[in-house]
Amino acid sequence: MSQVSMQVITELRRMISQGELAPGERLTETQIAQTLGVSRMPVRLAFRTLAQEGLLQQAGKRGFLIREFSEDDVICGLEIRGALEGLAARRLAERGLTDEVRAEFRHILQDGEELLTDQTLNDRKVEQWSAINARFHNTLVEAAGSPVIADAIARNNHLPFASSDSIMIDHNELEREFRKLQLAQWQHQLVVQAIEHGEGARADALMREHAYVGVRYGSLFGLQVRLRP
Amino acid sequence: MSQVSMQVITELRRMISQGELAPGERLTETQIAQTLGVSRMPVRLAFRTLAQEGLLQQAGKRGFLIREFSEDDVICGLEIRGALEGLAARRLAERGLTDEVRAEFRHILQDGEELLTDQTLNDRKVEQWSAINARFHNTLVEAAGSPVIADAIARNNHLPFASSDSIMIDHNELEREFRKLQLAQWQHQLVVQAIEHGEGARADALMREHAYVGVRYGSLFGLQVRLRP
DNA sequence: TCCTGATATATTGGATCCAATATGCCAGAT
DNA sequence: ATCTGGCATATTGGATCCAATATATCAGGA
């Protein structure tokens, strides 16, 4: 995939998730091509790609719409991630950890631990947590050693609300949000514990539950439930 | 998506799953375009689509290869289907059945029951079973009422070995194969029973196990284990 | 007033062309 | 003999053109 094609795809993804293109809006190749200053060709390819990812849907026989997602869709996207990452965790528990992967997990858990030791949060720390979290999930999926599972998870992550870094943080409630991240960190630790002990079913269950942390745990800490940014 | 584009995609899918294009083989747009008698354009679109589905993989910076799948990949494809259909079944159990869906399930189970009553199998019956089986799985996924889950399952089913009608039947061992289908039918019945009783976890577990019936149950009945056609 | 049908327009799909560049090949040098 | 560099070729990506057709608009009739 070439530079221009790639840029069109990422730019469209961005415009959709930032809301510059509203759900339900109709897209035409010409219009987007002009907006982005390219020919219709890369736009055509991008539309197909995004439609396959589920961000666009066909509008009758001509053109595409920006897909609208209900709150139920958001929950289902999370549950799919939970199910698939749970599968990866179970596989890892059943097949055992290599020393490298074990060390990498320890390192990630350590970093998370240190980040949260002083029990406070700020915008910078939220960013750092996001990186640590991404590393945890990537390591898990990679270590499971199945490209087929990794692909399935990657495809699901194309739904912006389903990916593991879609965790909603209210930057005005950082004391309460701290507790959410603390809980997420503990869940990471428990997952690794389960994997290390070869407890596949437990690792699976923990990952499924962990998928909810981003959008369903807010009420535990007196936070507003907001499914949208 | 237009006629020609569609035909190129389905024809390529067929050529791949029939083995006319061997795993690892390199494809060029021009070559396929000539073979199929179309211009490069629809081939270009098809390559992208199939790559996104996971049937092709990029070869360096130029061109695509037919992806090779290991036996482990096959098992993982099945486990993904199990996890996702299990999720659908759990949702259905938790949300309850409408009368229409309940009736449709009864009908499907009845048809399966009748097909297998005389305890014999022939090629025609295998075809009929395939139809009944497809209807069961489609009904389940539809009834779960989540387009996001349905899409995820549909995407996984693009892997030829992962779809629910990829069940391997040895047409020289029809007496033994009968028992496999009988067991699958019983599993269908148990899944519906669990759903009707609102037993989400049980429905989930049953669907996950059921996903294995196609390729891992052969040894129960003294059948050769063959992951490839 | 609302429906139906015909015409006009917009938009897409496929083919072709051209430029960019990855890849392979061959020759020359070490 | 093997490696390196440059050249030739193959192949892709993007743009443009043309045909097909879906969609919209408008007029006429029920």
Side-chain angles (χ1 to χ4, degrees):
Chain A
M1 180 135 40
S2 183
Q3 198 72 332
V4 177
S5 273
M6 203 62 189
Q7 281 173 353
V8 173
I9 291 176
T10 44
E11 183 61 10
L12 280 173
R13 275 211 203 97
R14 193 194 60 73
M15 289 166 85
I16 292 172
S17 68
Q18 307 266 325
E20 293 176 27
L21 298 170
E25 190 173 336
R26 191 192 184 106
L27 301 183
T28 66
E29 295 175 359
T30 327
Q31 156 208 351
I32 299 293
Q34 283 181 344
T35 308
L36 301 183
V38 296
S39 85
R40 271 178 51 217
M41 181 61 50
V43 178
R44 215 157 134 182
L45 294 168
F47 279 9
R48 303 270 298 233
T49 299
L50 296 178
Q52 217 175 336
E53 286 176 2
L55 266 58
L56 302 182
Q57 59 185 24
Q58 259 177 321
K61 303 210 170 191
R62 282 277 166 93
F64 292 92
L65 305 178
I66 310 271
R67 177 147 167 206
E68 282 188 273
F69 292 102
S70 66
E71 298 196 353
D72 192 51
D73 290 333
V74 173
I75 298 296
C76 283
L78 291 176
E79 290 187 342
I80 290 168
R81 176 159 63 83
L84 294 176
E85 289 188 348
L87 183 58
R90 176 167 66 73
R91 243 178 92 85
L92 199 46
E94 290 172 354
R95 293 156 42 111
L97 289 174
T98 66
D99 289 344
E100 288 93 331
V101 173
R102 190 192 311 270
E104 173 69 4
F105 272 129
R106 283 201 198 293
H107 197 197
I108 294 167
L109 294 179
Q110 181 88 34
D111 286 355
E113 191 80 7
E114 283 171 17
L115 184 73
L116 301 175
T117 36
D118 69 0
Q119 319 244 353
T120 68
L121 216 51
N122 55 45
D123 289 359
R124 200 176 111 75
K125 281 181 157 186
V126 169
E127 286 302 313
Q128 288 178 309
W129 169 261
S130 174
I132 291 170
N133 183 60
R135 213 167 130 207
F136 175 81
H137 287 266
N138 291 338
T139 302
L140 178 73
V141 172
E142 272 303 303
S146 168
V148 173
I149 293 176
D151 285 357
I153 291 173
R155 280 196 292 261
N156 188 60
N157 283 347
H158 281 133
L159 302 179
F161 50 84
S163 111
S164 60
D165 59 271
S166 69
I167 189 167
M168 294 287 163
I169 300 288
D170 184 338
H171 288 259
N172 299 318
E173 292 280 8
L174 288 179
E175 318 83 49
R176 294 177 175 194
E177 293 289 0
F178 166 81
R179 305 176 71 196
K180 195 156 76 186
L181 299 194
Q182 178 66 74
L183 182 40
Q185 164 73 10
W186 285 333
Q187 286 177 329
H188 287 180
Q189 289 174 315
L190 292 173
V191 168
V192 173
Q193 181 186 96
I195 291 172
E196 283 184 323
H197 288 75
E199 298 165 320
R202 183 173 169 230
D204 184 0
L206 282 164
M207 282 308 294
R208 282 165 180 256
E209 182 58 34
H210 179 56
Y212 288 134
V213 76
V215 305
R216 294 189 70 183
Y217 278 32
S219 64
L220 277 183
F221 314 116
L223 290 161
Q224 285 287 332
V225 176
R226 298 175 318 138
L227 290 180
R228 310 299 167 111
Chain B
M1 178 135 43
S2 182
Q3 199 71 332
V4 177
S5 273
M6 204 61 190
Q7 281 172 354
V8 172
I9 292 175
T10 44
E11 182 62 9
L12 280 173
R13 276 212 202 94
R14 193 194 60 73
M15 288 166 88
I16 293 170
S17 68
Q18 308 264 326
E20 292 176 27
L21 299 169
E25 190 172 337
R26 190 192 186 108
L27 300 183
T28 67
E29 296 175 1
T30 326
Q31 157 208 351
I32 299 294
Q34 283 181 344
T35 309
L36 302 183
V38 296
S39 86
R40 270 178 52 218
M41 181 62 49
V43 177
R44 216 158 133 181
L45 294 167
F47 279 9
R48 303 270 296 235
T49 299
L50 295 179
Q52 216 174 338
E53 286 177 1
L55 265 58
L56 301 182
Q57 60 185 25
Q58 259 176 322
K61 302 209 172 192
R62 282 279 166 93
F64 291 91
L65 304 178
I66 309 271
R67 177 147 166 207
E68 283 187 272
F69 292 102
S70 65
E71 298 197 353
D72 191 51
D73 291 332
V74 173
I75 297 297
C76 285
L78 290 176
E79 290 187 344
I80 290 168
R81 176 159 63 83
L84 295 176
E85 289 187 349
L87 182 56
R90 176 168 66 72
R91 243 177 91 84
L92 199 46
E94 289 172 355
R95 293 156 42 112
L97 289 173
T98 64
D99 289 343
E100 288 93 331
V101 174
R102 191 192 310 270
E104 173 69 3
F105 272 130
R106 283 202 198 293
H107 197 195
I108 294 167
L109 294 180
Q110 181 88 34
D111 286 355
E113 191 81 6
E114 282 171 18
L115 184 71
L116 301 175
T117 36
D118 69 0
Q119 319 244 354
T120 68
L121 217 50
N122 55 45
D123 290 0
R124 199 175 114 75
K125 281 180 157 187
V126 169
E127 287 302 313
Q128 287 177 309
W129 169 261
S130 173
I132 291 170
N133 183 61
R135 215 167 129 205
F136 176 82
H137 288 266
N138 290 338
T139 301
L140 178 74
V141 173
E142 274 302 303
S146 167
V148 173
I149 294 176
D151 285 358
I153 292 173
R155 280 196 292 263
N156 188 60
N157 282 348
H158 281 133
L159 302 179
F161 49 84
S163 112
S164 60
D165 60 270
S166 69
I167 187 167
M168 293 288 163
I169 300 290
D170 184 338
H171 287 259
N172 299 319
E173 291 279 7
L174 288 178
E175 316 83 49
R176 293 175 176 196
E177 293 290 359
F178 166 81
R179 304 177 71 194
K180 194 157 79 188
L181 298 195
Q182 178 67 73
L183 181 41
Q185 163 73 9
W186 286 333
Q187 286 176 328
H188 287 181
Q189 288 174 315
L190 292 172
V191 167
V192 173
Q193 181 186 94
I195 292 172
E196 283 185 324
H197 288 75
E199 299 166 319
R202 182 172 171 230
D204 185 0
L206 282 164
M207 281 309 292
R208 284 166 177 256
E209 182 59 33
H210 179 58
Y212 288 135
V213 75
V215 305
R216 293 189 71 183
Y217 278 32
S219 64
L220 277 184
F221 313 116
L223 290 161
Q224 285 287 331
V225 177
R226 298 175 317 141
L227 290 179
R228 308 302 167 109

